[in-house]
Structures are given as C-alpha cells and as structure tokens.
Amino acid sequence: MIEIFTTGGTIDKVYFDALSEYQVGPSAVAAILRDNNVHAPHRVTQLMRKDSLELTDDDRAAICQAVAASEAARILVTHGTDTMVETARALAGIEGKTVVLTGALQPATLKHSDAEFNIGFALAAAQTLSPGVYVAMNGQVLDPSRTRKDREAGRFVAD
C-alpha cells in the first residue's frame, strides 16, 4: 500500500474566472490515478490545500508527523515546487520509509501540465526506491540535500 499525502501547490491549482487568478483547489491526484487506470494499492489523504510559499514550519511539522505516523512504508507527497526541497529536507530524519515528493510546474487542469507524468513517475519511484527521501520531478529522482529548483530553466537540478 502506498500512502499519498496531498498538500496543495500548483499541481492542484484551478482557475477561478471571477477572480482572474489561480487558487489551490481540491486535490487532483485521485482523479489522475483513476483516469490513468492505476491499480497499485494506494490511499490518498489530503493534509492541506496551500501554495507551498504559504507553508509554515508548523505545516512542515504536520507533514512530518503524518508521514512518521503512517503505517505505510512507501509514501508519496504531492507538494508545491517552490518549497518542496525544504519540506523534503525536513522529512529526512524519518527512518525506514521511502518518501517521494513530487508536484507540477503547471496545474493538472491544464492540457500541457507535467502533473500526470510526475505523479506516475513518483508513484513508480515510491514503489522501487530503497528507504530514504527523494524529489521526483520531470523524469529525475533527486537527493533533496543536493537539489534546488531552477526557476529560469523550469526544472529541478542537482547542486
């Protein structure tokens, strides 16, 4: 069983026409897994609905607590990309679990989003990697202790 915790971020942003802006909406993960005929045993739990720039130390502590308390040994966390590495580093002290963080640079609701690929890739990574904490974005599995988001290039890179 893979435990999937959702926290919000761009992956879950939806366009509210009346406001002319994007806001974090309900998690897209369950629909993406269903629509792509994914049968790997999993459970989706929404922890929060926040842009990652709005996450606090208390939010990160809640994410860490949920991951540590989960009975699952394999965990996927969807997260906003701006502070994903920071949260991954906070999770590093949890032993005996494979924890993979992923997100999207474009909302899942957009046609050219990287959300579906990243979720599928991260789900595979969570099933096959040894225990530890990883960032899985755009076809790469990265060590969060040596990773950063390159905003200009629109991807994550190893330092």
Side-chain angles (χ1 to χ4, degrees):
M1 164 76 78
I2 299 168
E3 181 95 50
I4 302 171
F5 292 115
T6 66
T7 65
T10 297
I11 197 167
D12 291 332
K13 286 192 175 177
V14 292
Y15 183 71
F16 288 90
D17 192 40
L19 301 174
S20 297
E21 63 183 34
Y22 285 95
Q23 294 182 354
V24 177
S27 176
V29 173
I32 288 170
L33 295 174
R34 181 186 62 248
D35 293 349
N36 285 282
N37 204 26
V38 172
H39 293 283
H42 63 276
R43 175 177 52 221
V44 179
T45 302
Q46 182 174 289
L47 293 180
M48 54 198 70
R49 287 170 53 174
K50 287 189 166 187
D51 185 292
S52 71
L53 291 173
E54 297 171 356
L55 289 178
T56 65
D57 289 340
D58 288 342
D59 293 327
R60 280 186 185 74
I63 295 167
C64 289
Q65 187 175 48
V67 168
S70 174
E71 294 178 6
R74 300 189 177 275
I75 296 174
L76 172 61
V77 178
T78 63
H79 196 287
T81 60
D82 285 315
T83 64
M84 180 185 298
V85 171
E86 187 177 334
T87 299
R89 290 175 181 165
L91 289 162
I94 298 173
E95 299 289 326
K97 294 180 186 267
T98 302
V99 182
V100 178
L101 285 83
T102 197
L105 297 172
Q106 296 290 323
T109 57
L110 297 182
K111 181 179 178 181
H112 297 289
S113 175
D114 54 340
E116 287 188 19
F117 177 83
N118 287 343
I119 288 171
F121 180 72
L123 188 68
Q127 292 179 76
T128 58
L129 292 170
S130 58
V133 179
Y134 307 89
V135 169
M137 287 290 296
N138 306 109
Q140 296 184 92
V141 174
L142 301 160
D143 176 347
S145 70
R146 300 186 317 265
T147 300
R148 65 180 171 80
K149 180 180 176 181
D150 183 337
R151 284 179 177 76
E152 284 184 28
R155 64 188 185 100
F156 283 76
V157 295
D159 282 337

